[in-house]
Amino acid sequence: MQPIMKFRLRRQSRKYVLIFLAACTLIFILYPTKQTFQEQHSTSDSRKKSTSSDYSLKLKQVFDKSPFSDLSKRIEIAEEEANSFSLLKLIPFLGNGKDARERKVLAHWAQANRKDQCPQLIKGLYATPDWSNNEIVAAHKKVRVDEINMQVSVERIRIYNYCFLEGGLDVTEVLKDAGLSSYDAFDFQSRMFIFLKQVTKTDAKYLYPIIQNLNTEEIISEPTTTKSPQDFNANFMANWRQLANGKGIAITVNPDDVEFMIRLFRVLKELGNTYPIQVIQKGGELTSPLIEQIKKTAIETNQAVSIVDLSPILDEKFAREQITSFHNKFFAAMFNTFEEVLLLDADVVPYVSLDEFFNLKGYKDTGLQFWRDRNRGSDTHKFCSNLGVYLEPSLEEHNLLGTELKFRINSLAKKKVRSSEERAFHRFFNELKVHNIDSGIIVLNKKQKLHSLIMGEIFYTNGRFGRCAYGDKEMFMMGAFATGADFIIDPRDAGIIGPIGYNIDQRVNFICSAQMGHLDENNRVLWSNGGLRFCKFPDFAKKDYTPKNQDYFIQKYQSYDNMARIYKTKVEITGFIIPEVEKNEWMQIPDCQSYMYCGLAKKVDTKALILKFEGEEKERLNRISDVWNNPI
């Protein structure tokens, strides 16, 4: 090589070295300024999407098993790396790989969109390789284990909603972007929704119930979709939600209550109902003779009725062991095909057109309406209150996703309770009282509230928290609260409907009946619960008339035969009472297996309500009672 060439090369090399050193010097000069900016905006504040300044106070931190625990650690590392010197920053093309993109999302979390955030959230789930909501089914001896499982199961449902229901993302794509190639959407689904039948990518059959139209005898067992069974099944809950359409009535019924449902159909005909009805069963409860009886009544009453058999979509073991009694209502709520749903118990009685329920202001404003129970309540367990704080987001979830719920549970004990919703939660968690909700009728928009129904089912399934309420009542309410869904609980307490009497000596009006009633804002009766017979079940007479209680019943009814006859009579509706419980508590009496209550109220009780029905209103209500009580 010529000397002149060597000289030029050395000169050029020195030039590049000088440029490199100058760049490094510039970075070190500028870097402290950037670090100062980061110090002025703390990690949690930069990620926090919420505008609330005090919501985060006293939020619990996550357990190590939480997906937000893993995610928070990775974000902290990414932020530190972003603020430190790296040769990758000087040579941009070396920092354009998948790992670099992930670090960028983590380091700038608050600016990332769901498409970028959700792979990291799901990666946080699989940081616990064996995670599954099956952990909640059994209560544990160690309370801390139940607390951990409560927190993470709630977080998982909120993450699912954030990414796949509200977010509309594809599970397969999110898993791919998360680098979780050893797992697929079917694995994810089986862990998240333990009640669903486990399917794989090789299954060629759609996850879909069998829907039998009793009027036309048409049977539908596949969805109307252009997706393949594999694509549909891979994100079943989101796809099922998308198919929801129209308005209708959903009922779940056990064989012993078919009689009540038949009577309900008669009332619906009297009210001019035109909404389709779906009778939801987990599979096998309704025998062929019972289905034929329902079909006959549907035709006689001009009601469009379908039987929805959920056995093709439910895990057989879970359905057999877990879906019993009130648990069925969550599946009736989730797996009817309607978008707007009137969820009815078989023994409820509406007194107005069903259009009016869908047009209630509370429902129109929120998409989910509940009614209050009687203002009384049995005690629940202290551990229910302790677990309640895990309905709320952790500090980390609040900071990362901005999750805020309608109110803070603990603060209800320290401030004036204003709304009906706050009152129900205060009674449950602070006063430890159940029976806050009468779930005989729930009006809901399923497309808007599916995530809250899933969450409520999770609570009902929870081996410890599920013991905190009687049946499904409060669990529907808890599901809505824990998902941050908007909902309303009608502020009026439930009352009692039936024959009204007056005690001259005590100057008190009273009604004793087994029927709980609900009014609208104009004091018009909307619906009642418990059928319209003196006793819900006539055979209660045999169960009541025991040596222990004979003296009470003979004194009241003179003889067993007279008692058995009265137990079968229809309810005469002449009044409605909501007592002022601070002065006159609800009285529970032995009649009808103790399903009988007495409500008392005096005219001077300013917070009580006494309605005496007369004229057309009395005639209208008793016409419904006559229709309900017609012999089958």
Side-chain angles (χ1 to χ4, degrees):
M1 184 179 294
Q2 296 296 326
I4 187 69
M5 292 295 294
K6 291 181 179 179
F7 174 76
R8 287 177 177 173
L9 286 173
R10 285 196 299 271
R11 188 176 180 182
Q12 196 171 19
S13 298
R14 284 197 298 269
K15 179 182 176 183
Y16 286 131
V17 170
L18 289 171
I19 293 172
F20 175 77
L21 292 173
C24 291
T25 303
L26 184 63
I27 288 171
F28 282 117
I29 291 171
L30 294 176
Y31 178 70
T33 304
K34 183 178 181 182
Q35 189 176 38
T36 303
F37 178 82
Q38 293 291 345
E39 288 172 351
Q40 291 173 354
H41 298 75
S42 70
T43 303
S44 61
D45 287 343
S46 67
R47 293 196 301 258
K48 186 173 175 181
K49 294 184 177 182
S50 167
T51 57
S52 172
S53 59
D54 60 353
Y55 187 87
S56 62
L57 295 176
K58 296 185 179 180
L59 284 177
K60 285 188 174 292
Q61 292 189 310
V62 289
F63 294 111
D64 288 341
K65 195 175 180 180
S66 164
F68 292 102
S69 174
D70 171 77
L71 180 57
S72 295
K73 293 172 184 175
R74 288 189 288 119
I75 286 177
E76 186 176 350
I77 293 170
E79 287 180 336
E80 289 176 356
E81 289 179 352
N83 297 334
S84 64
F85 172 73
S86 171
L87 286 174
L88 292 177
K89 296 175 183 177
L90 299 177
I91 312 173
F93 65 85
L94 292 178
N96 287 336
K98 183 175 182 179
D99 289 344
R101 290 197 298 273
E102 180 177 306
R103 287 195 298 271
K104 185 176 180 181
V105 169
L106 294 171
H108 304 282
W109 182 262
Q111 288 74 45
N113 58 33
R114 292 187 203 217
K115 189 177 186 301
D116 291 327
Q117 289 177 337
C118 286
Q120 305 312 315
L121 288 164
I122 301 307
K123 195 171 183 178
L125 279 178
Y126 281 90
T128 303
D130 61 347
W131 75 272
S132 169
N133 281 329
N134 196 54
E135 299 155 342
I136 66 171
V137 174
H140 295 265
K141 292 181 179 179
K142 293 182 178 180
V143 175
R144 179 47 59 95
V145 176
D146 286 323
E147 291 175 346
I148 293 171
N149 290 340
M150 183 75 166
Q151 182 185 74
V152 295
S153 64
V154 170
E155 289 175 339
R156 290 164 186 165
I157 300 303
R158 284 200 286 251
I159 287 173
Y160 181 85
N161 179 59
Y162 183 80
C163 295
F164 307 115
L165 291 181
E166 185 181 313
L169 299 178
D170 180 80
V171 179
T172 299
E173 290 299 316
V174 170
L175 287 169
K176 179 181 176 183
D177 291 342
L180 297 169
S181 56
S182 58
Y183 305 102
D184 63 17
F186 302 97
D187 170 82
F188 175 80
Q189 182 166 272
S190 66
R191 296 169 184 242
M192 185 67 71
F193 305 115
I194 59 175
F195 51 77
L196 286 180
K197 179 173 287 186
Q198 295 188 24
V199 292
T200 68
K201 59 185 177 183
T202 62
D203 286 289
K205 196 171 182 180
Y206 285 101
L207 275 178
Y208 201 76
I210 299 171
I211 303 173
Q212 179 185 0
N213 188 313
L214 298 185
N215 304 79
T216 65
E217 298 187 354
E218 178 187 14
I219 295 178
I220 300 172
S221 59
E222 291 187 353
T224 303
T225 180
T226 57
K227 295 182 178 181
S228 68
Q230 292 80 8
D231 287 342
F232 184 84
N233 295 346
N235 194 6
F236 171 74
M237 294 302 290
N239 289 324
W240 174 261
R241 172 179 175 266
Q242 192 61 35
L243 291 175
N245 182 51
K247 294 180 180 179
I249 301 166
I251 304 174
T252 182
V253 62
N254 67 53
D256 292 338
D257 290 344
V258 168
E259 174 206 346
F260 299 125
M261 190 169 66
I262 289 173
R263 296 181 184 279
L264 173 60
F265 287 176
R266 292 175 173 179
V267 171
L268 295 179
K269 179 185 178 183
E270 175 71 19
L271 295 171
N273 174 60
T274 58
Y275 292 112
I277 301 167
Q278 292 186 351
V279 181
I280 319 291
Q281 58 168 338
K282 67 179 182 181
E285 304 99 305
L286 298 177
T287 62
S288 295
L290 282 176
I291 291 175
E292 282 300 313
Q293 188 178 13
I294 296 169
K295 177 181 177 180
K296 180 182 177 183
T297 306
I299 294 171
E300 289 175 350
T301 57
N302 197 30
Q303 300 300 301
V305 181
S306 296
I307 304 293
V308 180
D309 182 351
L310 301 183
S311 58
I313 69 171
L314 296 177
D315 179 81
E316 185 178 349
K317 183 174 184 291
F318 185 93
R320 182 177 64 255
E321 296 179 357
Q322 298 295 328
I323 306 178
T324 60
S325 186
F326 300 109
H327 202 169
N328 285 275
K329 288 183 65 174
F330 288 99
F331 295 90
M334 288 189 287
F335 294 123
N336 61 81
T337 67
F338 307 119
E339 177 175 359
E340 296 188 73
V341 186
L342 199 59
L343 183 66
L344 303 183
D345 284 355
D347 64 334
V348 303
V349 182
Y351 297 89
V352 298
S353 166
L354 270 59
D355 289 329
E356 296 198 27
F357 289 93
F358 289 116
N359 289 322
L360 288 168
K361 186 179 185 303
Y363 167 68
K364 299 286 277 187
D365 289 345
T366 66
L368 179 58
Q369 174 150 349
F370 302 110
W371 280 266
R372 302 192 67 83
D373 207 323
R374 301 180 184 93
N375 188 2
R376 57 177 297 275
S378 305
D379 293 337
T380 188
H381 310 281
K382 177 62 178 175
F383 67 73
C384 304
S385 180
N386 295 336
L387 284 173
V389 296
Y390 297 105
L391 275 65
E392 298 180 348
S394 64
L395 178 62
E396 289 81 355
E397 181 185 351
H398 172 67
N399 288 340
L400 292 171
L401 296 187
T403 306
E404 288 190 11
L405 306 185
K406 203 164 187 175
F407 41 79
R408 295 291 302 278
I409 292 174
N410 286 339
S411 68
L412 295 178
K414 303 169 185 175
K415 71 171 188 176
K416 185 177 181 180
V417 175
R418 292 181 174 84
S419 70
S420 179
E421 297 77 43
E422 287 178 331
R423 179 183 162 204
F425 277 81
H426 175 70
R427 278 174 51 82
F428 187 91
F429 286 112
N430 300 126
E431 298 179 6
L432 298 180
K433 296 294 184 183
V434 292
H435 303 301
N436 297 290
I437 298 292
D438 179 5
S439 61
I441 291 183
I442 298 174
V443 197
L444 64 102
N445 185 305
K446 195 180 72 188
K447 270 192 175 177
Q448 294 177 10
K449 310 300 177 182
L450 181 58
H451 61 310
S452 76
L453 300 176
I454 295 169
M455 187 74 84
E457 194 283 327
I458 284 282
F459 292 148
Y460 192 98
T461 299
N462 188 295
R464 188 171 296 278
F465 194 65
R467 292 159 47 196
C468 291
Y470 178 72
D472 59 284
K473 295 179 179 181
E474 277 86 3
M475 296 306 166
F476 276 106
M477 173 185 78
M478 299 293 177
F481 172 75
T483 51
D486 204 8
F487 66 98
I488 188 169
I489 303 174
D490 190 280
R492 288 166 285 271
D493 288 334
I496 190 166
I497 189 171
I500 192 166
Y502 185 73
N503 185 298
I504 297 177
D505 295 334
Q506 298 181 16
R507 298 181 180 180
V508 63
N509 296 277
F510 67 90
I511 297 175
C512 294
S513 82
Q515 284 69 38
M516 179 164 49
H518 302 274
L519 305 173
D520 66 10
E521 67 275 10
N522 298 315
N523 288 339
R524 189 174 52 141
V525 181
L526 279 178
W527 64 283
S528 63
N529 209 337
L532 281 174
R533 195 160 39 207
F534 186 89
C535 281
K536 184 174 177 180
F537 294 101
D539 65 351
F540 278 173
K542 290 181 181 179
K543 295 179 180 180
D544 282 346
Y545 198 75
T546 61
K548 180 182 177 181
N549 293 321
Q550 271 186 16
D551 290 345
Y552 169 85
F553 289 109
I554 287 177
Q555 183 178 2
K556 187 169 185 177
Y557 298 101
Q558 287 76 55
S559 69
Y560 170 77
D561 289 341
N562 192 46
M563 171 182 166
R565 179 186 63 79
I566 291 174
Y567 270 33
K568 297 177 183 179
T569 58
K570 74 173 186 177
V571 175
E572 291 288 343
I573 303 174
T574 61
F576 188 102
I577 288 176
I578 301 177
E580 184 177 345
V581 294
E582 293 80 8
K583 296 180 179 179
N584 294 293
E585 292 183 351
W586 286 97
M587 292 175 53
Q588 187 174 16
I589 58 179
D591 311 58
C592 302
Q593 287 287 282
S594 299
Y595 279 95
M596 186 79 73
Y597 287 85
C598 295
L600 291 75
K602 296 181 179 180
K603 288 185 178 181
V604 295
D605 296 342
T606 56
K607 295 181 181 179
L609 177 67
I610 305 168
L611 298 177
K612 296 180 181 179
F613 302 121
E614 297 177 348
E616 291 183 3
E617 181 68 358
K618 179 180 176 181
E619 183 181 341
R620 180 182 72 86
L621 295 172
N622 282 284
R623 185 169 65 250
I624 297 293
S625 184
D626 290 339
V627 169
W628 194 93
N629 280 283
N630 280 339
I632 294 179

